[in-house]
Amino acid sequence: MLDDLPADDPAMARLYLTMPTENGMRQLLAMWRRFETKLAPREDEKDWWKIFGYLSKIRVWNATDRIEPATQLFIDRRMARDAAGPVRLELDLWFHEDESVRMKAKESLEGILAAIGGRIVDFVTIEPIRYQVALIEVPAQQAVDLRSRTGALANADQVMSIRPQSLYSAAPLSEPIESEQNSAQGPVQELRPAVAAILDGYPMQNHALLAGRVDVVEVDITGDSVPVERRFHGTAIASLVLHGDLANGEDPLTRRLKVVPVLAAPQHLNDERTREDLLPLGVIYRAVVALKEDDGLFGPSGPDVLIINHSLCDAEGPFVRRPTPWAKLLDWLSEKYGILFVVSAGNITGQFPSGYSDHASFNSAAPLERQIALLRAVEASKGMRSILSPAEAMTALSVGAVHADGAGDCPSEAMDPFSAVGVTNIGSAIGPGINRALKPDIVEAGGRQVANASNQPAGHHIWPSEIGHIGLKAAAPDPFTGSSSKTRRSTGTSNAAALVTRAGVRIIDALEEVLAEDGTALRDFSRASLATRTLLVHGASWGDAGTLLEAAYPPPGLGQWRRRRGIITKFLGYGRPSYDQVIEGASNRVTLLADDEIRHEQLHEYRVPIPTSMVRSREIRRITMTLSWMPPMHPTSIAYRGVTLDVVDQAGQRKFWRGVKTIMQPHPDDMRRGTCAHFILEGNNSTAFVDSNGLFIGVQARALNAHFHQSSVPYALAVTLEVAPTVQEDIYASVRNAIRPRPRVRA
C-alpha cells in the first residue's frame, strides 16, 4: 500500500494503491528513491516521474495507517477511566479469498496476542463484504504501545487497521417517568403477519401497548439477561412503530411486529448497549439471517419481513471518507434478502459554540434573533456532526430528526431553541455520505430537544438535552412500581427512524391492496422493499424549513445559492415526507408506480398520458418523480456503487418539460451520488410541456465498474401528477383509465 501525503496535514489527502506483486512494490519504491535524489528517469520511467511530481511521500502501509487518531483518542479515554485495566479494540485483518490463508492470519494474530498477554474475545468473518475482524483485549501497557504506534501488534503485517470497539448505548431519561396510565390493552382483532422487524433492545412484552403485538426472536440476547425494568429503548421503538407518537392518538398498526433484541443491559452499568464481548456486526448479521433463512427446524422467523428498523449506530464510528464495514453489511443484506433498512442518522450530544459572547447575552436575546443565531451555530459546527455508522449505507433509508412532537408547550424554565417548523433538532447528525452522496435521505419528527448553555473557557457553548415534558410519547417500563401501562417521552433520531418504519408498514399495506387487485400476492412482489423506499421518499419536501434555512444559512448572496442548497441538503436530505399524499388518492392527484430491472447503457422509456387540465392551464400543476435502485456494491472500489441510474428527458438530460420548474430542493448533483433521486417540478403558466405521445420519463443506467456491465439492477419509479383542487377534472380517473405503464427498452 502507498501513502502519498502526510497524515497529520488536514489540507492534504492520501492515495492508497495495491500492488499485484511484492516485486512490483519494490520496483516502485526504488524508482521513488531515485526520484527523491533527483536522478533522471529512464525512457520507460518518464511518466512515473510526472506522477511523482504531485506526491510528497510514498511508503508502504505501516502503523500510521493502522492506528488513526480516532483510535488513539479512544485509548486515551479508556485509560483515563481505568489506567490499569485492559482495553478492547477491533482489529481488521487483510482479507484473503483463500480460506486457508485467512486461517493462518488468524493463527498468527493469536500468537502475537499471546506473547503480549492479550486475547481474542470474538472473531467474525463475512466473506461477501471482505470482513475478517477480531475483537481483541490487550493489557494496559500494550494499549499504551498501540497509542504510540509501537510494538509487535502495531507493526503486524497481517493487520490492516486497529479501530475503537464499536459501541452503542442508550440511557433512559434522568427525568421521572410520567405517572400517566395508558388505556390501550393490546390488540382488539386478529393481527396480520409482520412485514417489519426492529433490531433493538429487548421490549417489555407485557406492556399494555405491546402485549400480543410483538414477536420476540432470541438470537444473541435472551430475556433473562435484560431485567424488565431496564427495557427502555426496545420498548419505546416498538411502541413508536406500532402506535406512533401516543400524543397524536393514531390508530395502531394492524400487523404484528418482529423484534430481534441486539442490546444487552449489563448489571454493572445503567444503560442498554451492544454486548461488550461480541462484535456488533456479527450480532446484526445473525439477527437478519434468523429472520430470513431457514434454521432447519422451524423455518425463517420473519419470512414476510420487508423493512427492518435499525435505530442503532456506532457511537465510536462517525462516517469519514470510506464506507464502514457496518454500512457495507447493511448494503449487502439489503441486496441479498430484498429488505429495506431504516437507519437512524445518529445523535450528536457534544457541546458547540452558540455564537454568543456569554450566557447573559444568550438569555437576553430576542427569541427570533436567538433562533437564527442557533441555526447558524448548528451549521457552523457541521464539521463535528457527521452521521454515525452505518447511516452512510447506500441502500438504507437514513433518517434525521426534526424538532417536532405532539406534546404541549415547552416549560418556561427550559430553552426551546426553535419555534420554526421542520428544522432538525440540535442533536441530529448530518451528511453527506459515501462519495458525498445525499444523507440523511429524509427527516422525521424526533421530539423537541431543549438547549442547555453555559460559559466555557473557550466561550459560550450549548448542547442538546431532554426533559420529561416534551418529546415523543411511547410505552416504557416502570422500575418503581412495575406498572405495565406507563409511558415516557424521549427524543432523537432513533425515534424518527421508528416513525418512518411505521409509515413504511402503512405503505406496504397499500401496496398489498393494489397488488391484490391484479391478483398478485405481496410475497411474490420481488421489488416490494424498493417500492416502499421509493414511496417513503416520494412525499418528501423541504417546505417552510427550506425557506427559513435559505435565509439563515451562509454564504449570503444570490450567486451562492448552490453552496447554501448543499448545506441545507446535509441537514434535511429530501425533507420531511407527507405519507398520506402517497397512500391516499384524490381526484386532483394520481400516483403511478413502475418497477423493473435495467442494465448498463440501457434506457427505459415511460410515457404517461397527461390530463387535459394539466395542458395549457394557468392553475398550479405539480409533477413529482422518485427513483430508487439497488445497485451491486464493490466493497473495495472507490466508487463503491457498481451502477448508477438517472431520471432523464428525451435528450438524456434533466431539462424535462416546458411549463414547470424545480422548486427549492437538493441540487441534482447531490442526488446523482446516491441510490435515490427525487424531483418536484411545479408551474402555473400555460406553456404546453408534453407531446402527443404523453409525458416522457426515462430511466437510464451506467455502470461505474466494468465488472458490472452485465449486472441487472432492480429499480422502482414513482410519478405523481397533481393539479390545484379548483380544477374540475378528476385526473385520477383520467389517468387510471388511460394507462398501465410498461417501459420501452432501448440502448
Side-chain angles (χ1 to χ4, degrees), residues 130-146:
R130 303 178 67 83
Y131 179 83
Q132 186 180 23
V133 175
L135 174 62
I136 65 170
E137 183 178 85
V138 296
Q141 182 54 52
Q142 300 303 322
V144 172
D145 290 345
L146 288 172

Side-chain angles (χ1 to χ4, degrees), residues 136-422:
I136 65 170
E137 183 178 85
V138 296
Q141 182 54 52
Q142 300 303 322
V144 172
D145 290 345
L146 288 172
R147 168 67 177 81
S148 60
R149 295 170 174 158
T150 60
L153 189 58
N155 291 284
D157 288 337
Q158 64 268 47
V159 175
M160 182 177 73
S161 63
I162 302 174
R163 298 181 281 109
Q165 180 182 8
S166 300
L167 293 170
Y168 173 79
S169 64
L173 284 174
S174 58
E175 296 280 336
I177 298 173
E178 295 180 2
S179 60
E180 179 180 348
Q181 303 282 334
N182 196 288
S183 59
Q185 297 298 318
V188 295
Q189 59 183 1
E190 185 176 349
L191 298 176
R192 292 179 292 163
V195 294
I198 67 172
L199 309 182
D200 212 279
Y202 211 108
M204 183 180 171
Q205 293 167 277
N206 68 335
H207 194 285
L209 291 163
L210 306 185
R213 295 182 180 274
V214 297
D215 298 327
V216 175
V217 180
E218 292 186 345
V219 181
D220 285 302
I221 306 295
T222 59
D224 56 7
S225 66
V226 186
V228 174
E229 66 272 13
R230 293 179 60 188
R231 299 180 183 180
F232 283 95
H233 202 266
T235 298
I237 298 303
S239 174
L240 289 168
V241 172
L242 289 167
H243 301 277
D245 184 354
L246 293 173
N248 294 332
E250 300 176 40
D251 292 333
L253 296 180
T254 58
R255 290 186 181 272
R256 301 180 71 84
L257 177 67
K258 295 287 182 179
V259 181
V260 186
V262 296
L263 299 180
Q267 292 184 357
H268 62 290
L269 298 170
N270 191 37
D271 60 13
E272 298 168 87
R273 58 175 55 206
T274 48
R275 275 181 54 171
E276 296 181 317
D277 60 340
L278 293 177
L279 287 162
L281 266 70
V283 174
I284 298 299
Y285 171 71
R286 290 187 291 271
V288 176
V289 168
L291 287 170
K292 302 302 292 183
E293 288 195 6
D294 192 337
D295 63 358
L297 294 174
F298 305 104
S301 58
D304 297 316
V305 166
L306 293 170
I307 183 169
I308 295 180
N309 189 91
H310 189 290
S311 287
L312 312 172
C313 57
D314 184 0
E316 297 292 341
F319 165 70
V320 181
R321 298 190 303 272
R322 299 185 296 274
T324 61
W326 203 329
K328 292 179 182 179
L329 175 66
L330 297 193
D331 282 330
W332 174 66
L333 290 172
S334 296
E335 181 183 14
K336 178 176 176 63
Y337 295 114
I339 51 180
L340 169 63
F341 284 97
V342 177
V343 181
S344 54
N347 301 309
I348 309 299
T349 58
Q351 300 181 10
F352 59 95
S354 68
Y356 286 88
S357 58
D358 53 40
H359 202 53
S361 58
F362 176 78
N363 281 335
S364 62
L368 181 59
E369 174 195 318
R370 183 167 52 225
Q371 174 175 287
I372 297 299
L374 290 180
L375 284 171
R376 291 175 178 169
V378 171
E379 187 279 328
S381 70
K382 60 182 180 290
M384 302 178 292
R385 312 180 69 81
S386 299
I387 55 176
L388 300 180
S389 170
E392 78 273 20
M394 278 284 190
T395 55
L397 193 64
S398 303
V399 185
V402 168
H403 188 76
D405 54 49
D409 294 334
C410 180
S412 58
E413 66 272 14
M415 171 64 69
D416 186 348
F418 306 131
S419 61
V421 176

Side-chain angles (χ1 to χ4, degrees), residues 86 102 126 200 252 282 346 375 382 386 415 460 481 583 589 631 731:
R102 295 201 302 266
I126 305 175
D200 212 279
L375 284 171
K382 60 182 180 290
S386 299
M415 171 64 69
H460 189 256
T481 68
I583 296 173
R589 182 180 65 246
I731 72 166

